[in-house]
Amino acid sequence: MGRPERRIDGDAGPVQAFAAELRALRESAGRPKYAALARRTGRSQTALSEAAGGRRFPTWETVAAFVSGCDGDLDVWRARWEQVAAVVGAPTSATDPDGTATCVAEDVPDRGMSTVAAGPAAAAGPVTAAAPVAAAAPVAAAGPAPSATTVDRRWRRRTVTWLAASAAATVAALAGLIHAITDVRPPTSPGPDSATPPSRVAVADGADPKDSGCADDPQVLSVDTVEVNLGRQALGVLELRYAPQCGVSWPRFLPYAVERIPYGTAIHVDVRRPADGATATFTADYAGTGVFGNLLHSARDCVLAEVRIEMPEDPTGVATGTACVRGRVVESGP
């Protein structure tokens, strides 16, 4: 169960189609975290995630960093970027507002916000990228930038062509990935790190349960569960999860039926430790699946899970919390 990115409609326009292609490239590279891409390329995590967000057209500097981090073909993607830039009338020499800002530690998906009151978690290790994604041939640009009316007509005429090119690029990338996986041969002699497991995020307040490995604890259990209701309608359940091997807990919201919550609803899942006021928060747009938050140590002091659901028609939302539990021991009710 992951943290979903904001849904993107590749048919909505050239900017959204280009962002969808960037997401396909990242998927073909093994879906490296934006924090890992930022460390690898020197571009900020925010700029890289916004490039694939579909809200605004990214500069070439950011696209080049994104593509390089995913082992894509810079020449092919430069041609594709210039093609879309000509359609949307974007400048071809601007730099991002944040330039080459230093990346941050947390990996935050589009629209999602993760805040750790107890300090940032350690960064994740490197991710191996896979085959590049092919792109459509460049379109020769001439004359001044087209007007809004011209852009709209041009986009409508090219929608089918772009979608076909995007589908072909995705198929080619998947074929390359499958070939790379099935064509692996063992080395002639094991290397010094052949038995070293992949690096993980340190088990610390605010860390991701999956990245830290705590979610893989076979003894993980829900130490408290409460139903989340809006009026007379039951929306789902809030769980306080506990991993004995790590001595940590985190929140998880599971919807009963996907149609009861509008897509795009803000889901806030937090965990709080009253003894010292430490809080780890996470926010994501609802995409039909469950949402889990970050973790806090809970072996010595109790923690409690909280969820707040803010629907578009009801921004005040509905809030629910669990009991305060130390390890497996309930210390106080909600």
Side-chain angles (χ1 to χ4, degrees), residues 167-231:
T170 302
V171 171
L174 291 176
L177 179 59
I178 293 172
H179 174 76
I181 293 174
T182 56
D183 196 37
V184 173
R185 293 175 176 81
T188 55
S189 61
D193 297 327
S194 59
T196 302
S199 59
R200 292 182 179 271
V201 169
V203 179
D205 285 351
D208 184 295
K210 290 186 179 294
D211 291 346
S212 63
C214 296
D216 298 331
D217 182 350
Q219 299 180 30
V220 168
L221 72 159
S222 294
V223 292
D224 193 28
T225 302
V226 295
E227 190 172 66
V228 182
N229 297 293
L230 180 61

Side-chain angles (χ1 to χ4, degrees), residues 26-331:
R26 178 170 170 246
E27 289 290 337
S28 71
R31 205 171 188 273
K33 292 181 177 296
Y34 287 113
L37 290 178
R39 290 192 301 274
R40 188 182 306 168
T41 64
R43 210 68 180 166
S44 77
Q45 176 182 333
T46 299
L48 292 169
S49 63
E50 287 182 352
R55 287 195 170 103
R56 64 185 180 94
F57 187 60
T59 63
W60 169 244
E61 289 85 349
T62 296
V63 173
F66 193 109
V67 172
S68 297
C70 295
D71 288 349
D73 188 324
L74 285 176
D75 292 336
V76 171
W77 279 93
R78 175 72 188 195
R80 179 70 180 118
W81 178 84
E82 289 179 349
Q83 179 188 35
V84 181
V87 174
V88 302
T92 59
S93 60
T95 57
D96 284 326
D98 59 341
T100 55
T102 303
C103 64
V104 296
E106 296 85 355
D107 182 35
V108 184
D110 291 329
R111 175 63 176 80
M113 296 174 290
S114 179
T115 304
V116 183
V127 180
T128 302
V133 177
V139 175
S147 65
T149 303
T150 303
V151 168
D152 181 69
R153 293 198 194 101
R154 191 178 299 176
W155 163 247
R156 291 179 183 277
R157 288 197 302 269
R158 295 178 182 176
T159 297
V160 175
T161 302
W162 284 352
L163 290 176
S166 298
T170 302
V171 171
L174 291 176
L177 179 59
I178 293 172
H179 174 76
I181 293 174
T182 56
D183 196 37
V184 173
R185 293 175 176 81
T188 55
S189 61
D193 297 327
S194 59
T196 302
S199 59
R200 292 182 179 271
V201 169
V203 179
D205 285 351
D208 184 295
K210 290 186 179 294
D211 291 346
S212 63
C214 296
D216 298 331
D217 182 350
Q219 299 180 30
V220 168
L221 72 159
S222 294
V223 292
D224 193 28
T225 302
V226 295
E227 190 172 66
V228 182
N229 297 293
L230 180 61
R232 296 183 177 180
Q233 187 178 42
L235 302 180
V237 295
L238 171 66
E239 297 180 335
L240 180 62
R241 304 282 285 169
Y242 175 64
Q245 292 182 2
C246 295
V248 298
S249 300
W250 64 91
R252 182 172 70 172
F253 170 71
L254 297 174
Y256 279 151
V258 297
E259 69 275 4
R260 294 183 182 178
I261 304 176
Y263 277 74
T265 294
I267 307 291
H268 308 268
V269 281
D270 308 334
V271 61
R272 183 163 53 88
R273 190 168 55 222
D276 59 3
T279 303
T281 67
F282 182 78
T283 300
D285 281 351
Y286 179 68
T289 60
V291 179
F292 66 90
N294 295 323
L295 59 82
L296 287 180
H297 283 283
S298 60
R300 297 182 57 182
D301 298 299
C302 72
V303 300
L304 56 93
E306 297 174 326
V307 64
R308 190 170 74 259
I309 302 176
E310 297 178 359
M311 295 188 180
E313 68 276 8
D314 184 14
T316 58
V318 54
T320 304
T322 68
C324 196
V325 184
R326 174 176 54 83
R328 297 186 179 91
V329 180
V330 178
E331 294 197 346

